[in-house]
Amino acid sequence: MVFKRLLGSLGVGGPTVDTVLDAAPGSGSAAVPGGALTGRVHLKGGGSDFDISEITLELIARVEAETEEGEQHGTVAFERYVVGGGFRLAAETEQVVPFSVVLPWETPVSELYGQPLGIVLGVRTELAVAGAKDKGDLDPLAVGPLPAQEAILEALGQLGFGFRSADLEYGRIGGTGQQLPFYQEIELSPAPQYAHAVNEIEVTFLAHPGGLEVVLEADKRGGMFTPGHDALTRFTVSHEDVASRDWAAEVDGWVRQLVEHRAAYGTHASYGHHDPYAGGHHGHHDGHHDGHRSGPGMGTAIAAGAAGLAVGVAGGLVAAEVVDEVGDFFEGDDEDDGGDEG
């Protein structure tokens, strides 16, 4: 399937478009946050000449949002790039427009050591032709971790934490430098030494040119007479620190600090999850995570293997319905989702 989609608003005889993404150098097929995304837009002329006024690439993500009606799913466009335009595409001719754009630093990580995490990202190509705009092509986007992100996840795997799931939450984490309208949560089962204290730990990376903000959240077990509650802490890491730190010891110290931290409500006041629909903090301090997909029975082993962290954090355990959702999304089922943020 070379030219995937006929521009619907232009009808039969309109141009077709196919965007081909390049593999990132040295990282297989995955790009990295803050790195270059390169490729080519292939255009094929229709039955007559068309003036291509603008070619736009749009980065999109499938996100979850907590609303009064419950958990909703929608598509969010989080970056747009104009990569060409201002030329005439003659009938039945072909033209290739190369591009190189820079991904936002907070672009979510969709795979680890080649293992999919269940995050749905895409690049949508839009043509402005003869006064009409149409979304002509949708391609999956694979994003791997930055070295600092990989080192932290590797350390968590070495400590005995296991991957449960990953998702994108619409909203903001207060007290951070978050730029995008959503954030990624990587949900981990606790290492044996912490299983008595926490049900799960969630990791959020907020990357920027100088380094990372690492937000750790623990869904804590309650005692017999005390309800479980969440605690949340934040750490900062420089990109230059990757090779010089004992990450297993450092991350273990972070987790220990998180688990031992009892001022959960005070912490939420500083780094609360802002729910744009409720106008307040994301309601995690009540001891449960409404709508989260992790939990017993959700781990379906697929493509287990690979090296290093694949045995620990990225054990190939991705919920089956997440895999189905990724497939459906790129088979065109997103057409009625455009711009729907939940």
Side-chain angles (χ1 to χ4, degrees):
M1 180 163 24
V2 178
F3 296 102
K4 298 180 182 178
R5 193 165 298 171
L6 183 70
L7 288 177
S9 67
L10 301 176
V12 176
T16 54
V17 60
D18 181 41
T19 298
V20 178
L21 303 178
D22 295 334
S27 62
S29 61
V32 295
L37 178 68
T38 62
R40 299 164 308 284
V41 178
H42 294 259
L43 299 171
K44 185 173 182 178
S48 58
D49 295 354
F50 282 89
D51 289 321
I52 310 296
S53 57
E54 196 170 83
I55 304 172
T56 303
L57 301 182
E58 192 173 59
L59 302 184
I60 60 173
R62 194 69 179 265
V63 303
E64 299 177 2
E66 298 292 337
T67 69
E68 293 181 358
E69 292 76 30
E71 183 182 282
Q72 303 289 324
H73 296 262
T75 302
V76 172
F78 61 97
E79 187 63 280
R80 287 175 63 87
Y81 313 90
V82 177
V83 297
F87 61 90
R88 172 161 288 194
L89 182 64
E92 306 299 335
T93 63
E94 297 185 13
Q95 187 156 337
V96 177
V97 179
F99 62 85
S100 178
V101 299
V102 178
L103 294 178
W105 281 95
E106 290 181 16
T107 301
V109 176
S110 66
E111 66 176 50
L112 192 59
Y113 296 122
Q115 299 276 35
L117 300 181
I119 296 298
V120 183
L121 301 175
V123 178
R124 176 176 276 148
T125 306
E126 181 182 273
L127 293 188
V129 184
K133 289 188 177 182
D134 209 318
K135 298 173 175 61
D137 192 21
L138 176 63
D139 295 275
L141 173 63
V143 179
L146 291 164
Q149 294 170 328
E150 184 176 311
I152 292 167
L153 292 172
E154 178 78 37
L156 286 163
Q158 291 172 358
L159 291 169
F161 289 87
F163 176 81
R164 279 186 176 168
S165 67
D167 55 27
L168 304 181
E169 298 279 349
Y170 187 71
R172 297 185 182 277
I173 304 177
T176 70
Q178 181 183 342
Q179 300 295 310
L180 296 183
F182 58 86
Y183 55 91
Q184 181 174 18
E185 288 186 334
I186 300 173
E187 301 175 0
L188 309 176
S189 59
Q193 63 268 33
Y194 295 112
H196 67 284
V198 296
N199 293 316
E200 71 177 15
I201 284 183
E202 296 174 347
V203 182
T204 294
F205 296 116
L206 300 174
H208 53 82
L212 299 176
E213 290 182 89
V214 185
V215 181
L216 294 181
E217 184 173 6
D219 179 9
K220 304 176 75 168
R221 294 189 185 278
M224 186 177 297
F225 302 108
T226 58
H229 60 280
D230 293 359
L232 190 145
T233 57
R234 181 182 63 125
F235 305 91
T236 57
V237 172
S238 168
H239 294 302
E240 284 71 40
D241 290 344
V242 175
S244 61
R245 294 167 83 156
D246 181 347
W247 286 107
E250 180 135 1
V251 172
D252 189 50
W254 292 353
V255 175
R256 195 174 304 277
Q257 179 178 333
L258 175 66
V259 169
E260 294 173 353
H261 183 58
R262 296 295 173 182
Y265 296 99
T267 304
H268 267 275
S270 299
Y271 308 118
H273 294 245
H274 178 66
D275 183 343
Y277 298 95
H281 290 159
H282 200 55
H284 282 187
H285 60 272
D286 58 5
H288 64 277
H289 291 234
D290 292 331
H292 282 223
R293 289 183 297 218
S294 61
M298 297 303 292
T300 301
I302 61 166
L309 204 56
V311 179
V313 174
L317 299 179
V318 179
E321 60 264 37
V322 176
V323 178
D324 293 340
E325 180 181 300
V326 172
D328 292 344
F329 188 71
F330 291 108
E331 287 169 8
D333 288 358
D334 61 296
E335 287 302 301
D336 56 0
D337 286 336
D340 175 17
E341 297 175 354

